[in-house]
Amino acid sequence: MPCNICLLLSLLLFHLLWQAIGATSSPSPTSNGRLRPCEGNAFRLRGGESSTAPSEQEDESLDELVEELIASNRKLVVVTGGVLSGIGKGVTASSIGVLFRAMGYRVTALKIDPYLNVDAGTMSPFEHGEVFVLDDGGETDLDLGNYERFLSVCLTKQSNLSTGKIYQSVIEKERVGKYLGKTVQVVPHVSDAIQEWVLQVAKTPVTHFSTQHTEEYHYHGKQPEICIVELGGTLGDIESMPFVEALRQLQEKVGYKNMCFVHVSLVPVLGSPISEQKTKPTQHSVKVMMQLGLRPDFLCCRGKEPLEPSVKRKLSLFTSVPDQAIISLHDVSNIYRVPLMMMEQNLPSMLAQRLRLPKYRKKGVAYDQVPDTCQLAKRSSIIREWTVLADSVDAPENDCTIAMVGKYCDQGDAYLSVIKALTHAAIATKQKLHIEFIDSSDLEPTADDGGVSSSSKDRLLRCDGLVVPGGFGSRGFEGKIEAIRTARTRQIPFLGICLGMQAAVVEFARNIAGIANAHSAEFVDTENASSHEDLIMFMPEGDRTRMGGTMRLGARETILRRDSLAYQLYGQKEKIMERHRHRYEVNPDWVNTLEPLGLHFVGKNTDASGERMEVVELDREVHPYFVGAQFHPEFTSRPEKPNPLFLGLLQQIKKQKQDAQNK
Ligand code: GLN
C-alpha cells in the first residue's frame, strides 16, 4: 500500500514538473540547432505585463468591469471623426492625452479600427500607411505610433481593436459554448465584447518610456486614470456601427461624468475674393452623431485659419455644443503646437470640469463656464518641454536634406515613423529637415540607358544623408543597392533599416568582397537558388504559408560591441532593446568573410544561438557614418528622446555642415 502511495505521489510530482517545464517553454533547437526566437528569448514587455487578449486575461463580467471603472474614478474620453478622414483625428486624440499628462494623470489609449482585418500586419503600406510595431510584437495601425510618441508610453497589442479582432474573440467564445446555447448577435454579444475590451484596456497599466532603448524601463504597475478611445473612420460608416452602439451603451452604464465625447470635424473655407468658413459639413456630421445616440461634448474644428467667433456661435446654435467647448484646431507651424493651442483655449479646465476630475474641479460651475483652473498644468514640465520642442522646430540653425530611398514613396504615411524619428533628431540638432523621396526603382540600371536614371541619382547626390528604410518584395531592391553603393563610396552618412541593412550587407559582399552573385533569399526563386549566394537567408523557424503575425516581431535584446559606434550612440549601453519585424536575416556563415574586409557586425541578438546579426557598421576612419540595423529604430523614437541611430545620423550631418562653414 505505501508503495502505491509513493508511486502515485511520484506520478503527481512528475506531472507537476512536466507542466512547469511546459509552462516555461524551454527553448527547443530547430533542425539546424538554432533556437526559435520566441521561445528562447526571454524579455519582459515594456508595454504592460501581459500580452494576451483582455478577454483571456481575467474573466470579469461587463458589470464588474463597469463597477471597477466607477470605483476607481477612471475616465474615458472618446474621440470621433466626421466629414472626412485624414483631418488629424489621431493627432487631436494624442494631444488631448498630452493635456491629461500635463495635468498629472496616467493616460492610456485605445484605437478602434472598424475594418475586418484582425490586425494591420497584412495590410499594404500603399493602402494603409505604415504598420506600427509594438514591444509585444503587435502589428498595429500607425495611430498607435502617435499615441506612443505623444503619451511617452509603450502600449500593447490590445490597444488596437478591429472588427476582425472582436469577431474573432466572440466566435471563439461561441465555439467553446460560452454563450450557453443563446443566439449570438451583434447586440448584445458583440457590443458587450467591445465594451469589455474598452474597459480592460482602460485599466491595464502601461509602461512609461523613461529610459527607452535600454533594458531598463519604468513599469510602475499603476492603472491608468484616463483612457483615450479613438474611433477610426467617419461617423455614419456602416462598419463602425457596432462600435458606436457599444460606446453609446457604455456611457449609459458608466455614467455621464465618467465618459465624454470629442468630435473632430472640418470647417472648410470657400468663396473668393471674400472667403467664408463653412459650418454645414460639421452641422451634418453632428446630426449623424446625434441620430446614432451620441452627443458631442466638445467639437474640435480643423481649418486653415482660427475659427471666427460668429462661426463658433453658429455651430453652437446648430449642434448644442457650448461655444467655449468648440475648439479651433487651425493650421499651425508644427504638430507640437496642437496641445499648446488646446491649452490656450481652456480645453484642460473644461475637460476636468466635464469629467469631474477632483484636482481641478470647481464646484457649482458649468463645464463651459469654468475659468482657467489648469495653471499648474500649464507650468508642468511636459508643457515646458513641448513649448521648447515647438519653438525649436520653428528656429532651426541650418537646413538638411535626407534622401529616403524606398518603394512606397507615393504614400506619405508608409514611412511615417521614420519621418518622425528623423524629425525628432533634426529638432534635437536644431536643423530644418527636408526629405527627398526617391523611388528606388528609378535608381536601377535599366536596359535602355545602360545606367541609372540621372535625375534621381543627381537628387541623391545633392542630399546630406541617406536612409534606406524597411520593405518587402524585390521591386527596387537593386536601386537600394545602388543608393547604398553611392553613399558608401561618396562618404554620404547612411542609415539602413531592416531591408536597408540587408541591402547594405549584399552591396558590401558584391562590391568589396567580390561575391558577384551575392543576394537575399527573399528575391531569388527556389529554382535559381543555386546560382546565388544567400547573404541574407530565410529564418529557419519562419512560416512560409501563414502571413499574419508570423514574422520575428517585437522588442528583442541586442548586445553591442564595446568598441562600436552604436555602443557610443546608445549611451555606452551594452544591452539595448529595439523592435523587429522581419522574416529574413544575415546568413551567419558569411560573417567571417565580410568582417575582416571592414563590415563590422557590432550588434548581435541574445537568443541562445547568439547568431542573429543586428547592427553593422563601417569603421569611422573609412566612412563618417555607415550604420545598418536589423531592427526598426524608428518605432522607439520620441520627440523628447530621439532614437540614438537617427540622432547619430543627424549629428554627423550637422558636424559636416559646421565644418564646411568654418572652412
Ligand atoms: N523583407 C525583409 C524581411 O522580411 C525586411 C523586412 C523589413 O524591412 N521590415 O526580412
Side-chain angles (χ1 to χ4, degrees):
M1 192 66 179
C3 243
N4 280 351
I5 293 173
C6 276
L7 188 71
L8 268 174
L9 274 174
S10 42
L11 272 175
L12 187 70
L13 201 68
F14 178 74
H15 176 75
L16 287 174
L17 263 173
W18 184 251
Q19 276 201 330
I21 291 167
T24 50
S25 176
S26 65
S28 60
T30 56
S31 51
N32 69 355
R34 302 175 76 197
L35 292 164
R36 293 179 192 279
C38 305
E39 295 169 347
N41 190 2
F43 66 91
R44 271 185 72 197
L45 300 176
R46 279 184 291 225
E49 290 293 70
S50 166
S51 185
T52 44
S55 49
E56 289 163 27
Q57 284 175 4
E58 292 152 54
D59 237 354
E60 278 170 292
S61 71
L62 179 53
D63 289 345
E64 283 166 344
L65 286 164
V66 166
E67 261 172 44
E68 193 275 337
L69 178 125
I70 296 170
S72 330
N73 212 14
R74 189 173 307 117
K75 310 291 178 178
L76 302 172
V77 178
V78 180
V79 179
T80 57
V83 184
L84 45 104
S85 60
I87 51 172
K89 188 152 39 84
V91 171
T92 305
S94 332
S95 300
I96 292 174
V98 174
L99 300 182
F100 282 114
R101 271 179 73 203
M103 291 154 83
Y105 293 105
R106 291 185 297 277
V107 187
T108 189
L110 168 66
K111 169 80 197 288
I112 297 176
D113 282 308
Y115 47 65
L116 272 167
N117 305 56
V118 171
D119 62 34
T122 55
M123 292 169 103
S124 160
F126 281 121
E127 188 139 324
H128 201 73
E130 91 179 353
V131 175
F132 189 81
V133 181
L134 302 172
D135 266 359
D136 67 2
E139 297 174 280
T140 66
D141 184 86
L142 50 80
D143 274 320
L144 274 267
N146 278 333
Y147 287 120
E148 284 208 344
R149 286 185 283 267
F150 275 52
L151 305 182
S152 221
V153 291
C154 291
L155 300 169
T156 67
K157 53 177 91 156
Q158 310 338 316
S159 304
N160 197 184
L161 176 59
S162 67
T163 300
K165 246 184 214 173
I166 209 80
Y167 272 78
Q168 198 177 47
S169 77
V170 170
I171 291 169
E172 263 163 31
K173 258 172 115 178
E174 187 271 335
R175 291 289 78 190
V176 294
K178 286 217 171 154
Y179 292 110
L180 307 174
K182 287 236 166 5
T183 310
V184 181
Q185 294 180 299
V186 174
V187 179
H189 301 104
V190 172
S191 53
D192 279 4
I194 294 170
Q195 294 171 65
E196 283 163 16
W197 198 293
V198 171
L199 294 172
Q200 279 286 6
V201 169
K203 78 185 188 102
T204 303
V206 285
T207 312
H208 281 267
F209 213 63
S210 51
T211 54
Q212 85 275 39
H213 318 308
T214 71
E215 78 277 25
E216 303 146 31
Y217 51 90
H218 179 50
Y219 178 76
H220 50 56
K222 289 189 186 150
Q223 290 180 320
E225 292 154 296
I226 308 282
C227 178
I228 311 277
V229 181
E230 180 191 343
L231 178 59
T234 307
L235 278 183
D237 294 346
I238 292 175
E239 53 186 13
S240 60
M241 290 304 178
F243 295 102
V244 173
E245 174 57 17
L247 292 169
R248 187 194 67 75
Q249 291 180 14
L250 190 56
Q251 191 180 35
E252 293 290 317
K253 290 186 183 121
V254 300
Y256 175 79
K257 70 177 168 59
N258 292 324
M259 183 162 165
C260 73
F261 286 88
V262 178
H263 186 61
V264 185
S265 175
L266 177 77
V267 176
V269 174
L270 286 181
S272 163
I274 298 165
S275 54
E276 202 188 331
Q277 294 180 334
K278 303 301 246 180
T279 61
K280 198 67 90 190
T282 304
Q283 288 182 40
H284 276 292
S285 80
V286 172
K287 199 179 275 175
V288 169
M289 187 167 179
M290 287 178 162
Q291 278 165 352
L292 296 170
L294 306 183
R295 195 188 157 123
D297 299 291
F298 299 93
L299 278 184
C300 285
C301 296
R302 289 282 296 116
K304 271 203 151 349
E305 300 291 330
L307 273 190
E308 283 154 23
S310 60
V311 173
K312 277 195 184 182
R313 280 197 297 277
K314 187 168 175 188
L315 272 174
S316 174
L317 185 70
F318 281 100
T319 62
S320 304
V321 177
D323 50 358
Q324 290 86 343
I326 300 179
I327 309 295
S328 170
L329 291 189
H330 42 275
D331 289 356
V332 276
S333 56
N334 62 71
I335 56 166
Y336 306 108
R337 296 219 178 273
V338 178
L340 308 177
M341 174 162 61
M342 290 172 163
M343 196 137 221
E344 277 159 26
Q345 296 177 63
N346 205 26
L347 184 56
S349 310
M350 287 190 283
L351 281 166
Q353 198 74 359
R354 167 67 184 76
L355 293 168
R356 322 280 199 272
L357 292 176
K359 267 191 258 177
Y360 297 94
R361 189 177 172 204
K362 232 178 152 23
K363 285 223 166 78
V365 183
Y367 77 86
D368 51 306
Q369 303 296 331
V370 67
D372 187 352
T373 49
C374 287
Q375 288 306 323
L376 260 183
K378 271 189 181 164
R379 289 195 295 272
S380 77
S381 61
I382 288 164
I383 293 301
R384 275 205 312 271
E385 251 174 32
W386 279 68
T387 312
V388 171
L389 269 175
D391 291 346
S392 42
V393 178
D394 292 346
E397 289 170 356
N398 61 278
D399 287 31
C400 76
T401 309
I402 302 284
M404 182 103 83
V405 175
K407 79 170 192 188
Y408 312 113
C409 291
D410 300 336
Q411 221 290 12
D413 279 350
Y415 299 122
L416 188 72
S417 292
V418 180
I419 297 170
K420 296 287 178 201
L422 283 168
T423 310
H424 303 156
I427 298 171
T429 53
K430 295 198 173 6
Q431 307 190 76
K432 184 168 175 55
L433 175 73
H434 305 274
I435 297 183
E436 188 75 35
F437 289 98
I438 302 175
D439 193 321
S440 51
S441 309
D442 294 344
L443 288 170
E444 290 190 341
T446 57
D448 315 331
D449 61 8
V452 294
S453 153
S454 57
S455 71
S456 295
K457 180 83 182 265
D458 290 346
R459 280 167 62 212
L460 171 62
L461 288 173
R462 279 198 294 273
C463 293
D464 304 303
L466 166 67
V467 171
V468 179
F472 296 83
S474 62
R475 187 170 73 71
F477 185 68
E478 293 304 321
K480 290 174 191 173
I481 299 265
E482 177 55 25
I484 295 167
R485 193 186 65 79
T486 309
R488 185 176 54 74
T489 52
R490 305 240 185 176
Q491 308 279 301
I492 301 172
F494 161 73
L495 175 61
I497 301 169
C498 205
L499 185 59
M501 179 258 209
Q502 297 173 358
V505 173
V506 173
E507 191 280 325
F508 190 89
R510 285 187 194 169
N511 299 323
I512 298 290
I515 310 164
N517 59 351
H519 218 321
S520 162
E522 185 175 1
F523 311 125
V524 181
D525 306 334
T526 28
E527 304 95 69
N528 298 326
S530 57
S531 62
H532 290 85
E533 295 295 352
D534 283 351
L535 270 286
I536 309 299
M537 64 177 203
F538 188 70
M539 284 191 284
E541 66 277 21
D543 185 335
R544 286 185 195 266
T545 45
R546 282 181 68 86
M547 299 307 275
T550 56
M551 283 187 254
R552 181 170 180 247
L553 290 165
R556 310 275 164 159
E557 216 166 47
T558 293
I559 305 274
L560 295 174
R561 234 166 62 185
R562 280 173 175 260
D563 59 351
S564 66
L565 170 61
Y567 174 78
Q568 294 304 332
L569 291 171
Y570 275 92
Q572 307 196 329
K573 295 271 189 238
E574 214 172 6
K575 281 186 184 174
I576 59 162
M577 286 280 267
E578 290 287 10
R579 298 179 186 177
H580 296 71
R581 184 171 186 252
H582 62 121
R583 276 200 179 84
Y584 294 82
E585 63 183 0
V586 172
N587 183 346
D589 293 347
W590 285 101
V591 170
N592 287 340
T593 311
L594 304 182
E595 190 111 48
L597 297 169
L599 188 65
H600 300 296
F601 294 84
V602 299
K604 296 189 184 171
N605 71 316
T606 55
D607 298 3
S609 73
E611 279 183 347
R612 290 183 203 279
M613 302 306 137
E614 295 279 4
V615 185
V616 292
E617 288 177 12
L618 289 179
D619 273 331
R620 283 208 109 177
E621 295 89 66
V622 177
H623 194 286
Y625 193 93
F626 191 98
V627 178
Q630 183 58 74
F631 49 76
H632 289 265
E634 68 271 27
F635 294 138
T636 54
S637 190
R638 303 288 181 262
E640 311 95 320
K641 282 185 182 147
N643 180 281
L645 297 188
F646 286 92
L647 190 58
L649 178 76
L650 273 280
Q651 276 167 342
Q652 177 58 33
I653 292 170
K654 177 91 180 180
K655 183 175 169 297
Q656 292 181 354
K657 297 244 163 203
Q658 282 169 340
D659 290 350
Q661 237 176 17
N662 297 338
K663 260 190 194 158

